[in-house]
């Protein structure tokens, strides 16, 4: 039965044009072609990436954080309380007023103490500033190197300058060693992101990130099976062109270099919008939707590939909306934060930590404009920047 399902899944008519078979895209004398078995190596390579990431974050990102004076604010811990802890872990992290009243009676605490306990407990679950910095450092390093490598792979190819040549000679196009390694490294990295997503900082766009990673893995794998290698390398390089800027902006934000972070973010937003909302739909999608039909009639694999591309494009529109919203805050001088994904999902109330500090602050030591460090306001972990 498994063999029958496998045969149906790999049926030529599903993934290839009507006049082609898998034999047409496989290896032949004098030509190297991609094989589905090549992708098996990406799973162990993904775990290698996770190991490399661990050592990078420990021995590179952590010292770099210390060098940039990335410091975590002291967080007040919630006192042990079995009644409140059970409600927190099994019901919800933000109890309603009726729940607070009931928990107050069960735990023997005042409603104010219950509110304070939940606030402190939520703060305990928030990822530390160092964890965010280390994660951003790792992604910045990979995206930057991947962009450089991707540019080297495609810059000297004629189809980079004439997209019609992407389909010239399909499906008997020769697989180059640089294309092989570019695919293996990119796919392995996205597998590693999917494997580590549960332990990484959980952000507001968590669901969109999962969809993005899955769609990317499916697209890369499918383009490899069907020898859409030229189109695939263009798409991957395009996506790597802006991501490293976002991660570097986050790093400077966590280090307190707000002006540098803001300037880099503006550059990132410009490149993101140009590449994802202009080049991708009007050049790359045009290349994958229109030009193939000049060579062969539409088939299931054609629709499947372009459906995945449309899903990615939809995510880009969603993220562009968040980025533009944030850009408007730069212009108007309002509070600024990373609308795309910088704030973790647990950060639902921006003033929680400020309230904690206010409650614990000695009455004899008031400050007019809040706590100061070197003459500047201390920012909380939500990295809000107030207008001057």
């Amino acid at each position: 039965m498994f063999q029958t399902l496998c045969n149906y899944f790999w049926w030529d008519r599903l993934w290839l044009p009507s006049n082609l078979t898998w034999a047409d895209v496989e290896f032949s004398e004098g030509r190297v072609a991609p094989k589905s078995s090549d992708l098996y190596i990406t799973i162990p390579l993904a775990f290698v990436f996770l190991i490399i990431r661990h050592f990078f974050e420990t021995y590179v990102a952590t010292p770099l954080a210390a060098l940039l004076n990335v410091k975590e604010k002291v967080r007040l811990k919630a006192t042990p309380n079995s009644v409140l802890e059970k409600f927190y872990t099994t019901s919800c992290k933000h109890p309603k007023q009726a729940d607070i009243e009931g928990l107050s009676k069960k735990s023997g605490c005042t409603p104010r103490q219950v509110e304070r306990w939940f606030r402190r407990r939520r703060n305990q679950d928030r990822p530390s500033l160092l964890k965010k910095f280390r994660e951003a450092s790792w992604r910045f390093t990979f995206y930057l190197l991947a962009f450089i490598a991707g540019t080297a792979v495609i810059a000297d190819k004629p189809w980079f300058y004439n997209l019609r040549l992407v389909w010239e000679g399909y499906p008997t196009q020769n697989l180059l060693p640089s294309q092989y390694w570019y695919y293996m490294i990119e796919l392995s990295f996205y597998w590693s992101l999917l494997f580590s997503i549960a332990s990484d900082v959980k952000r507001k766009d968590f669901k969109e990130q999962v969809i993005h990673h899955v769609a990317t893995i499916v697209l890369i794998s499918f383009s490899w099976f069907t020898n859409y290698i030229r189109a695939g390398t263009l798409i991957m390089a395009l996506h790597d062109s802006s991501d490293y800027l976002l991660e570097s902006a986050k790093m400077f934000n966590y280090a307190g270099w707000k002006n540098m972070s803001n300037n880099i973010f503006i550059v990132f937003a410009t490149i993101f919008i140009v590449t994802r909302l202009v080049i991708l739909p009007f050049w790359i999608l045009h290349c994958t939707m229109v030009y193939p039909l000049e060579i062969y009639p539409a088939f299931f694999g054609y629709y499947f590939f372009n459906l995945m591309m449309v899903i990615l494009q939809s995510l880009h529109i969603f993220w562009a909306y968040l980025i533009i919203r944030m850009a408007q805050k730069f212009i108007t001088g309002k509070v600024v934060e990373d609308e795309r994904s910088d704030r973790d999902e647990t950060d639902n109330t921006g003033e929680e930590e400020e309230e904690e500090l206010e409650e614990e602050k000695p009455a004899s030591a008031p400050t007019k404009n809040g706590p100061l460090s070197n003459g500047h306001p201390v920012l909380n972990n939500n990295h809000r920047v107030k207008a001057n």
Side-chain angles (χ1 to χ4, degrees), residues 7-273:
N7 291 337
Y8 276 118
F9 180 80
W10 291 109
W11 187 32
D12 297 348
R13 298 287 70 79
L14 274 180
W15 307 111
L16 297 174
S18 58
N19 60 333
L20 297 175
T21 66
W22 287 114
D24 295 315
V25 297
E26 292 175 353
F27 174 83
S28 61
E29 186 176 353
R31 183 176 67 88
V32 178
K35 297 181 293 184
S36 59
S37 58
D38 293 334
L39 300 186
Y40 294 157
I41 195 176
T42 60
I43 301 299
L45 278 179
F47 289 100
V48 172
F49 264 116
L50 292 176
I51 295 172
I52 295 173
R53 173 180 174 175
H54 171 74
F55 283 101
F56 176 88
E57 291 184 349
T58 302
Y59 298 107
V60 178
T62 300
L64 180 61
L67 183 65
L68 294 177
N69 202 30
V70 176
K71 293 182 178 180
E72 185 63 39
K73 291 180 65 175
V74 177
R75 294 180 179 179
L76 301 174
K77 293 185 177 181
T79 56
N81 189 306
S82 58
V83 174
L84 301 182
E85 183 67 28
K86 182 178 180 180
F87 186 91
Y88 181 87
T89 56
T90 60
S91 297
C92 74
K93 299 179 180 180
H94 294 269
K96 298 179 180 179
Q97 189 59 39
D99 296 324
I100 292 175
E101 296 292 341
L103 290 170
S104 173
K105 296 177 182 178
K106 291 181 181 179
S107 63
C109 302
T110 65
R112 182 62 175 167
Q113 289 174 331
V114 172
E115 291 176 352
R116 185 184 300 119
W117 188 94
F118 274 91
R119 186 163 56 245
R120 292 181 179 180
R121 186 65 180 84
R122 287 192 298 268
N123 286 339
Q124 284 179 219
D125 282 350
R126 289 188 177 129
S128 68
L129 197 61
L130 178 59
K131 177 180 175 64
K132 291 181 178 181
F133 181 88
R134 288 166 35 149
E135 183 178 307
S137 300
W138 165 247
R139 297 192 182 195
F140 162 77
T141 302
F142 176 84
Y143 289 138
L144 178 61
L145 294 177
F147 174 62
I148 294 172
T151 302
V153 168
I154 65 174
D156 62 339
K157 305 301 186 295
W159 57 84
F160 177 65
Y161 304 95
N162 183 358
L163 293 180
R164 287 185 180 274
L165 298 179
V166 166
W167 305 105
E168 184 181 49
Y170 180 84
T172 59
Q173 297 167 342
N174 193 46
L175 175 65
L176 303 176
S178 58
Q179 294 172 328
Y180 172 86
W181 285 111
Y182 188 33
Y183 257 78
M184 296 303 107
I185 291 173
E186 284 276 349
L187 184 54
S188 300
F189 178 74
Y190 278 102
W191 274 121
S192 73
L193 289 183
L194 198 60
F195 293 156
S196 65
I197 199 166
S199 60
D200 287 342
V201 176
K202 193 173 183 180
R203 308 180 189 279
K204 296 193 299 185
D205 61 350
F206 175 78
K207 294 179 181 178
E208 290 80 7
Q209 286 286 355
V210 173
I211 295 172
H212 174 270
H213 296 340
V214 172
T216 300
I217 290 171
V218 171
L219 267 174
I220 294 175
S221 301
F222 175 80
S223 65
W224 181 264
F225 296 150
T226 55
N227 203 13
Y228 284 15
I229 304 299
R230 294 181 181 180
T233 53
L234 292 174
I235 294 167
M236 289 189 295
L238 182 73
H239 281 75
D240 290 333
S241 63
S242 62
D243 288 341
Y244 68 92
L245 290 169
L246 175 62
E247 300 302 332
S248 63
K250 290 180 182 180
M251 292 169 62
F252 284 112
N253 185 39
Y254 300 146
W257 296 28
K258 303 302 177 183
N259 289 334
M260 178 68 75
S261 175
N262 294 346
N263 292 333
I264 293 176
F265 182 85
I266 292 172
V267 177
F268 157 75
T270 303
I271 295 177
F272 183 93
I273 291 172

Side-chain angles (χ1 to χ4, degrees), residues 238 241-242 265-282 313 316-317 319-325 327:
L238 182 73
S241 63
S242 62
F265 182 85
I266 292 172
V267 177
F268 157 75
T270 303
I271 295 177
F272 183 93
I273 291 172
V274 170
T275 55
R276 311 292 178 92
L277 299 189
V278 179
I279 296 177
L280 184 62
F282 295 106
Q313 185 60 53
H316 297 331
I317 293 172
W319 282 320
Y321 164 73
L322 298 181
I323 291 169
I324 292 172
R325 255 183 29 175

